Amino acid sequence: MTYSVPASGYPPPATPPDTGGPRIALYSEAYAADPQRIHAEMRARHPSLAAVELAPGIPATLVIAYDTARAILHDPDRFPADPRRWQRSIPPQCPILPMTEWRPNALRSSGFDHYHYRQPTTAALAGIDMFALHASVETIAMGLIETFGEQGEADLIGDYAHPLAFAVLNSLLGCPPEIGQQVAAGVRAMFDAGADAGHGSALFERALADLVALKRVTPNDDVTSRMLAHPVELTDTAVAQQLATIYAAGIEPLVYLIANTLLLMLTDERFGGHLLGGSLLTRNALDEVLFRNPPLANYCISYPRHPVLIEGVLLPANQPVVISMAACNADPAISSGGDYSANASHLAFSAGPHRCPAADVSYLIAVDAIDQLLDALPDMRLRGTPGELRWRPGPFHRALTELPVIFPELTPVPQK
């Protein structure tokens, strides 16, 4: 992979880079329905890069080659994560702005600021007791399964994956349910990048400010309290912004990591014997989803300060460069031949200085959630066919609208 910065004074292009075709709308129903087909069409025009739109009239470059993505992710000097120069030209009502705008947190910062914000976050996450987390996931999972187990049917997203991720994350962050409900509603609106995205962002930020204020007065052994107590001494606003990153990565992506893995296990005959396979087979399925169908499909956004020539394409200054984890993982140049078990070379958790610091936590929650469900409902199967399922449009996520299943009703446990 080669790139260079043009000589000083080179006029930055006003349009997206020319990769041999029209801009592809990542927010469209067509892209949501079959992104890998569209990735293949992009790759036929240019092996590494594609001109896309993140929202109507919002151009970006999508990186679809694995090696190119890794080089960019490990080069924060040329590809910084700070969007403020780009943001000046974006209308405030732009639906993707809540997911891309500058915030004083590690995800949207570079250099010293990134280090300053990331330290308390990684330290607070490192304090999570993984054994206690396992027990917490088991308890929450069984409580949810009991609520729908006698009905013989469920939507595994609305009835299981979403409330489970929501409850587990609230427990880890010390967030009471009344604040957590506002957080969850705000995150969903932001990921959908629709008309309600701005309202969702405002709701999200108010809820996080309330959580930080609560923990400042009544600290406990939780991520928020540990972050507030860190020697870096972040302000309340800065702590709320670090929590924003944790929540954004810990609700929607975790929900659809669980859901996309369950879909694979319910529809692929290789996983038909999941009850005999137990956690090992669950981990194999998770690894495959992280490669082939990651819930955060396109993200890890950077904003070159100067025009950059990369793979024969001139990337404009101050326009988003978006990593397509889904396309890069499927890059024929690094194909693993279909064996994804115990393979962590995927980009689902990003790479370089911005790699997700909670990857191990997310993985443990997903494995435990799936195993608890399959152990409790061994005869569960998809209601309808895979072709009847619908995917939520949006430029960033890979998310089903629902995952309906049927199963023999659970026998109620007699009360003592």
Side-chain angles (χ1 to χ4, degrees):
M1 199 277 287
T2 59
Y3 54 78
S4 61
V5 179
S8 176
Y10 195 103
T15 58
D18 181 8
T19 55
R23 298 180 221 162
I24 303 298
L26 297 187
Y27 52 88
S28 68
E29 296 274 358
Y31 181 78
D34 194 356
Q36 292 296 5
R37 176 184 63 80
I38 294 179
H39 294 159
E41 293 174 358
M42 292 175 177
R43 198 168 277 117
R45 299 186 185 111
H46 192 283
S48 304
L49 306 165
V52 298
E53 279 192 337
L54 301 178
I58 306 297
T61 301
L62 191 70
V63 181
I64 58 176
Y66 181 88
D67 288 340
T68 306
R70 283 190 59 84
I72 289 172
L73 291 169
H74 283 87
D75 190 356
D77 290 336
R78 288 185 177 88
F79 295 92
D82 188 329
R84 279 177 284 188
R85 291 185 182 180
W86 166 79
Q87 195 174 321
R88 294 171 192 158
S89 64
I90 303 302
Q93 68 273 21
C94 176
I96 65 160
L97 200 54
M99 285 290 291
T100 54
E101 67 185 338
W102 181 80
R103 299 173 186 268
N105 61 28
L107 182 63
R108 290 283 167 261
S109 300
S110 298
F112 174 79
D113 286 344
H114 172 259
Y115 177 76
H116 176 74
Y117 292 132
R118 188 172 171 98
Q119 262 193 308
T121 302
T122 54
L125 292 170
I128 294 173
D129 183 334
M130 300 295 268
F131 293 102
L133 176 59
H134 171 81
S136 177
V137 175
E138 181 176 347
T139 299
I140 292 168
M142 290 312 301
L144 290 169
I145 293 167
E146 288 173 2
T147 63
F148 61 74
E150 297 175 31
Q151 301 171 11
E153 62 179 7
D155 167 20
L156 293 184
I157 295 174
D159 296 330
Y160 187 66
H162 191 277
L164 183 142
F166 170 66
V168 171
L169 198 60
N170 284 343
S171 175
L172 290 175
L173 272 63
C175 183
E178 60 273 16
I179 295 178
Q181 292 286 356
Q182 298 174 58
V183 168
V187 169
R188 183 179 179 90
M190 289 162 61
F191 265 94
D192 279 340
D196 292 334
H199 172 72
S201 179
L203 182 66
F204 183 47
E205 294 202 10
R206 285 197 302 270
L208 293 177
D210 290 344
L211 173 58
V212 172
L214 175 67
K215 288 297 160 179
R216 182 68 80 180
V217 176
T218 56
N220 209 326
D221 183 19
D222 54 58
V223 169
T224 307
S225 299
R226 288 193 292 273
M227 202 177 295
L228 283 165
H230 193 273
V232 165
E233 297 184 343
L234 294 177
T235 66
D236 286 8
T237 299
V239 170
Q241 291 300 329
Q242 311 325 301
L243 295 178
T245 304
I246 295 173
Y247 263 119
I251 296 182
E252 291 278 302
L254 178 57
V255 166
Y256 295 101
L257 176 58
I258 295 169
N260 293 359
T261 304
L262 285 167
L263 174 63
L264 176 66
M265 299 183 79
L266 288 168
T267 58
D268 193 313
E269 62 183 13
R270 292 173 300 152
F271 299 97
H274 55 253
L275 289 178
L276 297 178
S279 292
L280 177 60
L281 208 59
T282 299
R283 290 176 182 274
N284 290 348
L286 269 169
D287 290 336
E288 182 161 332
V289 165
L290 289 168
F291 263 99
R292 294 172 58 87
N293 205 22
L296 193 58
N298 308 308
Y299 209 55
C300 306
I301 309 172
S302 60
Y303 305 83
R305 295 188 182 95
H306 309 283
V308 179
L309 186 64
I310 177 172
E311 305 293 342
V313 175
L314 187 64
L315 303 186
N318 304 316
Q319 282 193 10
V321 176
V322 182
I323 305 298
S324 177
M325 287 78 84
C328 291
N329 291 342
D331 184 352
I334 56 99
S335 175
S336 63
D339 182 12
Y340 303 100
S341 58
N343 189 336
S345 64
H346 59 77
L347 298 179
F349 295 118
S350 189
H354 287 280
R355 188 178 190 277
C356 176
D360 292 342
V361 173
S362 298
Y363 201 90
L364 182 150
I365 295 170
V367 168
D368 286 350
I370 293 166
D371 281 347
Q372 290 296 322
L373 181 66
L374 296 181
D375 285 348
L377 301 172
D379 297 317
M380 180 174 58
R381 59 188 176 88
L382 188 67
R383 187 181 69 205
T385 66
E388 295 174 301
L389 298 174
R390 294 293 176 264
W391 298 90
R392 285 165 50 196
F396 305 122
H397 56 217
R398 179 65 173 158
L400 288 165
T401 57
E402 63 175 354
L403 183 56
V405 294
I406 55 176
F407 46 82
E409 298 175 10
L410 283 178
T411 302
V413 177
Q415 298 294 318
K416 294 184 179 180

